[in-house]
Amino acid sequence: MDLAYTPDEEEFRARLREWLAKALPTLPPKPSPEDWPGRRAHDLGWQRMLHDAGYGDVHWDASPTLRLIFLEETEKAGAPYVGAGFVGLLHAGPTIAAEGTDEQRARWLPPILRGEEVWCQGFSEPDAGSDLAALRTRARRDGDDYVVSGSKIWTSHAEVADWCELLVRTDPDAPKHRGISWLAMPMDAPGITVRPLKTLAGTTEFAEMFLDEVRVPVANRVGEENDGWRVTMVTLSFERGTAFVGEVVACRRVLRELAAEARGNGRWDDPVLRRRLGRLNAEFRALWRLTQWNVSEAEAADGIPGVGGSVFKLRYSHARQELFDAAAEVLGPASLDLDRPWMSDRLSSLSYTIAAGTSQIQRNIVGERILGLPKER
C-alpha cells in the first residue's frame, strides 16, 4: 500500500483545481430535483464540459489514483456530481472498458464520455430480495437476438436512460450463480415499460421496468454467455470500490458544517454530542484511508478494485446514516422541516444499507472471501 502522491499526480491535482475555479462559475443553475429532463440536460452538459477540457475519460482511462484525485477535487470545489451519468460513468462504462470487445468499447464509451447517452441499471428484481443471483428475468436465443421477458425494480434513471446494463438468466437449469449473462439493452426497444417509483424524499431516481419479449442483439452481450455473474462482480467492485469517493469527501464537509451549526445554536455545550461528532470525524478519516487503500490495491490489479470495496461499503453505509442522524440532533425540532439542510439527505441515507448490495450481503462477502469462513448454505 502506498498512500503518497507522485509529482505528476500533484501536478494533475493543481491543474484540475485551476480549471475548476474558472469553469464552475459559468455553469447554469441546477434544476429542481423533480425535473428529470432538466437534470439530465444539466448533468450531461457538465460531463461535456469535462470531456472538452480533457477530463471526460478519467473514470476508466486514468489510473485509480488520478481518478481518486479527480473525485476528491471536484467534490471539494462544489462541482456537480455525475448525476444522471452515474450508471454510465461509474458502473457500465468501467465494466465495458474492462470486459467489452474493441467494437463494444468504440460503440458505447465515447457517447458516455461526451455526455450524450445515459445508462440505467437493470439488476434488482421484485422476488429476488437482496440475493441478486436469484434473478428470474429470462433471455432465450432466437437467431442473432436474445428475447428477454421479466421485470426489474429499483432501476436507476430508467425514465431518462438510452441504454440499460441488464442481467438476464440465459441457462435456467444451471446453478443460480451460473447461467447469467450481462447485456446492453437499448431503452427504445419495443416491449419495455417503465414505471417511475417515488422515493421517501419525493424524488424519482428509480423505476420499475417490465420487459415483454424485448429483442436484444447477441452482439450486445458483454463477456461470454452464462459468464455474467463474473462480469457483474467487476461492475459491483467498481461500485463498492471507488464510486463513493466523492460522497466521503462530502460527508467530511457536512461534519465540519454540523460542528459550526452546533457552535452557533448552543448544541455544542452537550458533551455527548461533541463525542458523537468526534467519533464520526475519526470514522470518516478512517474511511478515507480505506478508500486510498482500495485504490492502491486497484493500482496493482489492472485498475479493478478488490473485495476491500465490500469492507468500505459496509462501514460507509452505516456511518452515513449515523452522520445524518447526528445532523437531526444538531438541528433539534427544526429537523422535522425537510427544507432544512441535510434532512433530505437523512431520508435518502436510509437506502444505503440496501442499495449497491445490502449490508447482509457485504458481511457474507467479508466473511467468505476475506476471513475464509464457510460459505452460507
Side-chain angles (χ1 to χ4, degrees):
M1 178 173 63
D2 182 2
L3 303 184
Y5 297 109
T6 67
D8 285 346
E9 289 163 351
E10 291 294 3
E11 191 276 334
F12 173 84
R13 183 192 299 276
R15 182 159 40 87
L16 176 60
R17 280 181 181 173
E18 183 179 358
W19 179 77
L20 287 168
K22 294 177 182 175
L24 291 181
T26 69
L27 283 178
K30 190 174 181 178
S32 157
E34 291 78 23
D35 179 10
W36 259 107
R39 288 176 65 180
R40 173 186 160 115
H42 183 270
D43 296 343
L44 296 190
W46 171 240
Q47 177 57 28
R48 181 69 194 204
M49 288 177 66
L50 290 170
H51 173 270
D52 291 347
Y55 297 108
D57 61 352
V58 72
H59 295 293
W60 52 72
D61 271 356
S63 70
T65 301
L66 289 187
R67 198 178 310 145
L68 175 72
I69 293 171
F70 173 84
L71 292 169
E72 180 185 7
E73 292 300 325
T74 50
E75 179 59 39
K76 282 182 175 177
Y81 190 46
V82 287
F86 182 84
V87 175
L89 288 165
L90 303 183
H91 295 191
T95 303
I96 294 166
E99 298 288 333
T101 64
D102 289 343
E103 291 77 13
Q104 289 171 338
R105 294 188 191 100
R107 165 60 188 92
W108 289 313
L109 298 187
I112 295 173
L113 297 176
R114 292 193 297 261
E116 296 171 352
E117 292 181 344
V118 169
W119 285 64
C120 63
Q121 187 180 60
F123 281 14
S124 300
E125 296 194 3
D127 296 324
S130 59
D131 186 3
L132 179 59
L135 64 92
R136 296 181 178 177
T137 294
R138 291 280 306 277
R140 60 177 173 81
R141 285 285 292 267
D142 183 17
D144 292 333
D145 291 337
Y146 289 107
V147 180
V148 182
S149 294
S151 63
K152 298 289 180 177
I153 198 167
W154 310 122
T155 307
S156 312
H157 308 324
E159 68 272 34
V160 292
D162 304 289
W163 292 89
C164 177
E165 55 170 356
L166 184 71
L167 290 186
V168 295
R169 188 161 296 283
T170 40
D171 183 353
D173 298 324
K176 69 176 185 179
H177 289 91
R178 302 172 186 170
I180 293 172
S181 297
W182 196 108
L183 304 180
M185 181 179 71
M187 289 297 288
D188 60 354
I192 300 175
T193 301
V194 172
R195 187 182 301 165
L197 295 169
K198 184 166 284 192
T199 68
L200 188 62
T203 57
T204 55
E205 290 90 351
F206 304 103
E208 295 176 286
M209 185 168 66
F210 302 92
L211 309 171
D212 182 14
E213 300 280 297
V214 180
R215 300 189 78 86
V216 180
V218 173
N220 287 17
R221 187 190 68 232
V222 174
E224 297 298 319
E225 185 171 275
N226 300 328
D227 192 31
W229 185 253
R230 184 191 62 77
V231 177
T232 303
M233 291 304 100
V234 173
T235 304
L236 295 180
S237 69
F238 280 109
E239 182 175 52
R240 295 164 189 165
T242 56
F244 295 104
V245 167
E247 294 194 22
V248 174
V249 176
C251 286
R252 295 179 71 181
R253 183 183 65 244
V254 168
L255 197 53
R256 291 191 294 272
E257 292 170 351
L258 286 179
E261 177 75 17
R263 289 188 178 95
N265 67 13
R267 296 287 294 133
W268 192 252
D269 295 335
D270 182 351
V272 175
L273 176 65
R274 290 203 305 273
R275 278 197 297 272
R276 187 177 191 182
L277 296 181
R279 186 181 56 76
L280 282 168
N281 182 50
E283 185 98 48
F284 280 103
R285 287 171 68 89
L287 282 168
W288 181 248
R289 291 303 186 193
L290 180 56
T291 299
Q292 291 179 305
W293 188 92
N294 287 334
V295 167
S296 180
E297 184 185 50
E299 289 274 15
D302 297 327
I304 299 176
V307 294
S310 288
V311 179
F312 171 86
K313 169 65 173 56
L314 177 61
R315 191 52 222 157
Y316 170 68
S317 299
H318 292 272
R320 184 179 175 91
Q321 291 176 349
E322 292 172 20
L323 172 66
F324 289 106
D325 282 348
E329 188 176 348
V330 168
L331 291 178
S335 65
L336 297 175
D337 181 356
L338 295 183
D339 291 329
R340 294 296 297 265
W342 313 307
M343 290 303 98
S344 63
D345 289 317
R346 188 188 186 204
L347 295 180
S348 66
S349 74
L350 298 176
S351 69
Y352 275 63
T353 42
I354 300 174
T358 66
S359 292
Q360 289 80 6
I361 292 294
Q362 306 310 321
R363 290 189 180 97
N364 275 355
I365 293 173
V366 170
E368 294 171 6
R369 300 187 195 172
I370 298 178
L371 302 179
L373 298 177
K375 288 187 176 293
E376 185 184 37
R377 292 182 177 178

